[in-house]
Amino acid sequence: YRVFRTTRTTLHRYKRTGLLPHDTNIPTRNVRDRFIRMSPDEARLYRRIDDYIRRYYNRYKNGPADQRALGFIMTIYRRRLTSSFHAIRRSLQKRLDALDQDDLTLQTLVDEDDALVAEYGGPLFDVENAEAAKETLAHERGELTDFIDRLEGLPPDESKMQRLHERLDQAFRAHHDTAVIFTQYGDTLHYLRERLAATYGAYVATWSGQGGTRYDPTTKTWERVPKTTLKNLFRAGEAVKILIGTDSMSEGLNLQTCGLIVNYDMPWNFMRVEQRIGRLDRIGGQPVVDVENYFYEDTVEQQIYDTLSEDFDWFENVVGPASPVLGSIEGIIRDAAMADADDAQSAIDAAVGKIRKGVDEANAQPVDLDHATSDPYDEDPDPVLTLADLEHELTHNPLTQDRFAPSNEASTYTFTHHGASHRVTFDRDLAAEQGVPLFTYGSWLFEELLTDLVERDA
């Protein structure tokens, strides 16, 4: 079979010619790039941390294996710096704490979402000489301590957060009932939810690889909510109005009842942004989808994106002959962001020229069968529902919880089906080690349960 990609321009033409019903709602995408000025204290601290990252990255990248891996982690810090000051503070604190650990590994220095976002193919978590790595890191102690102290001294609402407060207030006073906010990092998500819950209380919820949560003003805690329940609450738009998510929310989730998306941080891979917008911009969704992309002024990302936006409307009409270029932008921006400080401007100019050339060449090429049927973005997106989420949903949902009885062995259940009992687990490692059937999508027991539920509903 063939998969045909259809642009919004084509869909509108189909509607005009009658190929689509006249009442088909094809959303109009309204994209606004917000280049936000940092406060003087933020700007000084940003430049100092940026210089620190560049300096150590270039020092480590040509060293022995363990130092090269340490250098790579600097690219992770650089991404987190543009996400939020809270995120970079958490990373630098983790790096400082690692200096006092006896079993130092590279895994000590990063969070789970760092490894997912970085897409590094090398030995990220393998350090043959941990002591040498620790000795190398020890030279950074003074700078790290100073950075953390100054980051903790910044006001609770950073400049991007102030802009977000203003935008949400405007949106809810106007025609928007709900809003989706995306970030790459769990640390930034936690920062966003705490600052927004102070204003919006129980209207705030989160969606990440760790599951769904909703703020409870009575207990002042974040309560775990099954993702299916959370999705339905947000779609209804009454009990939950603000949904904050990581990129685990950017695949396979229909949020077309919402018409406002804020990209609090911008991934270097622009296709991730297009995937985020695609949760809202869907046929039959809101007439207008407002998209706001947040950048800090006077950063590498802002200079590259702003310059290229004079030529290309990246997120207005991304699908077309030039769309594969988006998949290569990540490496180009990384090289510019991590260049030696003395070469920074020339690296930015080179990055802009390389991207512009790629788009021009792609647009000049005829579309052939290989390009039309290939997917240039060969990614494995995070699952919308993890095994832990599935376990929580099935063992707590009134429709299914009676089927699962905890067994005497940890992480296993007795699943009852048509009078027969089956020992099952939601733990992939346990299933592999002990041969216990894994209760997940595609397993015959899961399919039987779905069949029963469908027949009961019918």
Side-chain angles (χ1 to χ4, degrees):
Y1 59 88
R2 300 293 186 201
V3 176
F4 294 91
R5 293 171 176 167
T6 306
T7 65
R8 282 186 297 278
T9 301
T10 304
L11 290 174
H12 282 292
R13 185 165 63 247
Y14 288 169
K15 184 177 177 179
R16 288 194 303 270
T17 58
L19 292 175
L20 286 175
H22 72 280
D23 58 350
T24 301
N25 183 23
I26 304 170
T28 298
R29 185 182 292 190
N30 182 20
V31 181
R32 293 188 178 93
D33 302 318
R34 302 300 186 186
F35 301 111
I36 299 167
R37 179 169 297 179
M38 289 181 271
S39 70
D41 286 343
E42 288 175 337
R44 282 192 292 270
L45 193 50
Y46 186 101
R47 286 194 294 271
R48 286 187 58 206
I49 297 175
D50 181 50
D51 176 73
Y52 155 83
I53 291 171
R54 291 175 186 267
R55 180 163 21 98
Y56 278 101
Y57 170 79
N58 286 286
R59 179 181 301 178
Y60 292 147
K61 71 176 183 180
N62 296 319
D66 58 326
Q67 287 196 15
R68 288 198 298 272
L70 286 170
F72 170 76
I73 289 181
M74 304 309 286
T75 69
I76 294 176
Y77 294 166
R78 182 58 180 75
R79 299 168 195 254
R80 292 173 70 91
L81 176 62
T82 62
S83 178
S84 69
F85 286 103
H86 177 79
I88 189 61
R89 181 179 67 79
R90 295 275 296 179
S91 287
L92 296 182
Q93 183 66 60
K94 182 183 287 286
R95 195 173 182 92
L96 182 61
D97 293 343
L99 299 180
D100 300 318
Q101 296 185 21
D102 294 330
D103 56 345
L104 175 65
T105 67
L106 291 180
Q107 193 169 9
T108 311
L109 304 176
V110 298
D111 293 329
E112 181 180 355
D113 53 3
D114 292 326
L116 292 174
V117 172
E119 299 174 355
Y120 177 58
L124 182 57
F125 302 127
D126 297 329
V127 180
E128 296 181 0
N129 191 341
E131 288 304 316
K134 182 183 290 190
E135 183 178 344
T136 300
L137 287 174
H139 295 293
E140 304 175 24
R141 187 184 293 273
E143 277 188 294
L144 291 173
T145 301
D146 184 60
F147 288 151
I148 293 167
D149 288 344
R150 294 181 183 277
L151 286 166
E152 290 177 343
L154 293 176
D157 282 349
E158 64 181 25
S159 297
K160 276 202 294 187
M161 177 58 71
Q162 294 176 25
R163 169 61 197 171
L164 180 60
H165 276 300
E166 295 170 0
R167 182 64 183 100
L168 291 176
D169 182 63
Q170 294 168 358
F172 293 146
R173 289 177 183 272
H175 59 281
H176 289 293
D177 296 321
T178 59
V180 173
I181 303 168
F182 268 103
T183 175
Q184 297 178 84
Y185 297 104
D187 285 337
T188 299
L189 180 147
H190 284 87
Y191 168 71
L192 289 169
R193 76 176 191 178
E194 296 301 327
R195 302 311 303 162
L196 292 178
T199 301
Y200 297 100
Y203 290 130
V204 181
T206 71
W207 182 299
S208 70
Q210 304 303 313
T213 66
R214 184 185 178 197
Y215 186 67
D216 185 339
T218 303
T219 62
K220 295 184 179 180
T221 59
W222 291 90
E223 302 293 337
R224 180 79 178 268
V225 180
K227 285 184 173 178
T228 301
T229 302
L230 183 57
K231 176 180 63 178
N232 292 334
L233 287 172
F234 182 73
R235 285 176 175 174
E238 296 180 358
V240 174
K241 293 182 176 294
I242 299 173
L243 185 57
I244 310 167
T246 60
D247 286 313
S248 65
M249 191 170 67
S250 65
E251 284 288 340
L253 184 62
N254 183 347
L255 300 175
Q256 66 181 32
T257 58
C258 180
L260 172 62
I261 177 173
V262 177
N263 290 304
Y264 193 81
D265 52 34
M266 293 289 285
W268 288 346
N269 185 337
F270 286 178
M271 279 308 299
R272 292 188 183 274
V273 182
E274 180 60 27
Q275 290 164 355
R276 294 174 177 183
I277 299 172
R279 299 308 96 216
L280 281 65
D281 186 357
R282 308 169 77 89
I283 295 176
Q286 295 297 306
V288 177
V289 174
D290 290 321
V291 181
E292 291 218 353
N293 300 323
Y294 284 4
F295 299 84
Y296 270 131
E297 281 188 356
D298 299 325
T299 63
V300 169
E301 289 84 352
Q302 181 262 326
Q303 293 182 61
I304 292 176
Y305 187 88
D306 194 22
T307 301
L308 289 171
S309 293
E310 298 173 2
D311 301 321
F312 315 117
D313 293 327
W314 290 114
F315 304 113
E316 292 282 0
N317 190 20
V318 70
V319 178
S323 62
V325 178
L326 293 185
S328 66
I329 286 180
E330 180 170 11
I332 296 173
I333 295 179
R334 181 194 62 231
D335 292 344
M338 304 306 294
D340 186 271
D342 293 336
D343 302 324
Q345 190 55 54
S346 61
I348 293 172
D349 294 340
V352 169
K354 191 172 182 179
I355 296 170
R356 183 177 284 134
K357 180 181 178 182
V359 173
D360 289 341
E361 290 179 349
N363 283 328
Q365 293 295 321
V367 178
D368 58 30
L369 188 60
D370 290 338
H371 285 97
T373 59
S374 65
D375 183 358
Y377 316 113
D378 185 17
E379 300 177 350
D380 287 319
D382 298 337
V384 173
L385 198 69
T386 66
L387 284 173
D389 296 326
L390 182 64
E391 177 181 11
H392 185 276
E393 181 68 20
L394 293 179
T395 58
H396 288 76
N397 192 307
L399 293 176
T400 58
Q401 61 184 8
D402 292 339
R403 301 285 195 97
F404 296 85
S407 67
N408 294 328
E409 298 184 38
S411 301
T412 64
Y413 296 86
T414 299
F415 173 68
T416 303
H417 176 67
H418 290 180
S421 297
H422 308 269
R423 181 169 171 247
V424 299
T425 183
F426 295 90
D427 187 321
R428 194 180 299 278
D429 292 336
L430 181 65
E433 292 172 2
Q434 300 185 17
V436 181
L438 184 67
F439 201 96
T440 187
Y441 320 101
S443 66
W444 74 272
L445 289 173
F446 183 85
E447 296 297 334
E448 289 292 332
L449 177 61
L450 282 183
T451 300
D452 289 351
L453 293 175
V454 170
E455 291 176 350
R456 179 190 302 180
D457 187 57

